[in-house]
Amino acid sequence: MIDLVCLVADRSIEAAIEAVLRRHEALGICPLEFETLVHPERDPGCLHEPAKLLGGYTDRARHALVVLDRAWDGAPAGDAAALEKLLEQELSRIGPAGWGKAIVIEPELEAWVFSDSPHVATTLSWTEPTALRDALAAAGLWERGRAKPEDPKRAMEWVLRRVRLPRSSSLFRKLGSRVSLQRCEDRSFVRLAGILRGWFGVAR
């Protein structure tokens, strides 16, 4: 039996999650044996049909995580926490109580990228003399005093255009493996870390 199965909405989330899960010491959890699955119907599939891929894992994985973005065409009303509750009700029909948890990233995965870690700029190949955060503020993409840009995806696309770097899942893998996990203040990431420590914390 594996420790964890992760159902995700796309390859970028898959890359980020895999990179983070391999940093067990930084998370304060035990080393994990895990599998990741990408839902062919992306975010809607993860929310409405998790059993399509997770149904066969109730006897093969100790726990399950479903990770998707909040922002997608046709997403139901409600904030990220409401969608997590909705999805966890569905997961309770698949496996035993507490077996599965949901992480809904508000608005999208790029929200995990921006923190005060110096590895963000270096991983994004930012070499301009102006600091990345100051450059985004000057472009009207990151309001000073805010923990992250209001539209993280737009901010990241702006950076990638400036450095002529293509958006790819490998980029999110690099970010997940390098950026400080303690400095990420995003609600969904803090929730992810808390769930993992509750299931697999070293004290347990």
Side-chain angles (χ1 to χ4, degrees), residues 63-105:
H63 289 288
L65 270 176
V66 181
V67 187
L68 64 151
D69 292 326
R70 173 66 188 88
W72 42 274
D73 291 340
D79 60 15
L83 295 190
E84 287 164 350
K85 183 177 180 180
L86 179 68
L87 180 48
E88 288 177 0
Q89 290 174 346
E90 185 65 27
L91 292 173
S92 69
R93 300 186 184 98
I94 302 172
W99 178 73
K101 293 288 185 180
I103 304 291
V104 177
I105 306 171

Side-chain angles (χ1 to χ4, degrees), residues 77-157:
D79 60 15
L83 295 190
E84 287 164 350
K85 183 177 180 180
L86 179 68
L87 180 48
E88 288 177 0
Q89 290 174 346
E90 185 65 27
L91 292 173
S92 69
R93 300 186 184 98
I94 302 172
W99 178 73
K101 293 288 185 180
I103 304 291
V104 177
I105 306 171
E106 178 76 61
E108 294 166 301
L109 179 60
E110 288 80 2
W112 288 6
V113 171
F114 294 99
S115 71
D116 61 355
S117 171
H119 294 295
V120 173
T122 55
T123 303
L124 293 176
S125 301
W126 185 262
T127 58
E128 295 190 19
T130 305
L132 176 59
R133 188 164 185 157
D134 291 338
L136 285 166
L141 296 170
W142 194 340
E143 184 180 340
R144 297 188 188 277
R146 292 179 63 99
K148 60 184 177 181
E150 183 176 355
D151 188 337
K153 184 173 183 178
R154 184 181 170 208
M156 186 165 178
E157 289 173 346

Side-chain angles (χ1 to χ4, degrees), residues 141-175:
L141 296 170
W142 194 340
E143 184 180 340
R144 297 188 188 277
R146 292 179 63 99
K148 60 184 177 181
E150 183 176 355
D151 188 337
K153 184 173 183 178
R154 184 181 170 208
M156 186 165 178
E157 289 173 346
W158 182 87
V159 174
L160 295 180
R161 285 195 302 271
R162 290 290 292 267
V163 301
R164 298 181 181 179
L165 191 68
R167 188 184 191 279
S168 66
S169 58
S170 63
L171 180 61
F172 286 97
R173 181 171 283 106
K174 289 178 182 177
L175 287 161

Side-chain angles (χ1 to χ4, degrees), residues 20 22-29 179-182 189 193 197:
V20 168
R22 292 190 176 100
R23 299 176 65 185
H24 56 91
E25 291 183 352
L27 284 169
I29 63 174
V179 174
S180 171
L181 303 185
Q182 284 72 35
F189 186 84
R197 290 177 189 132

Side-chain angles (χ1 to χ4, degrees), residues 1-5 35 53 56-63 99:
M1 176 176 284
I2 63 173
D3 297 303
L4 180 67
V5 57
E35 293 183 24
L53 273 73
Y57 278 85
T58 54
D59 296 325
R60 294 170 54 195
R62 291 169 58 196
H63 289 288
W99 178 73

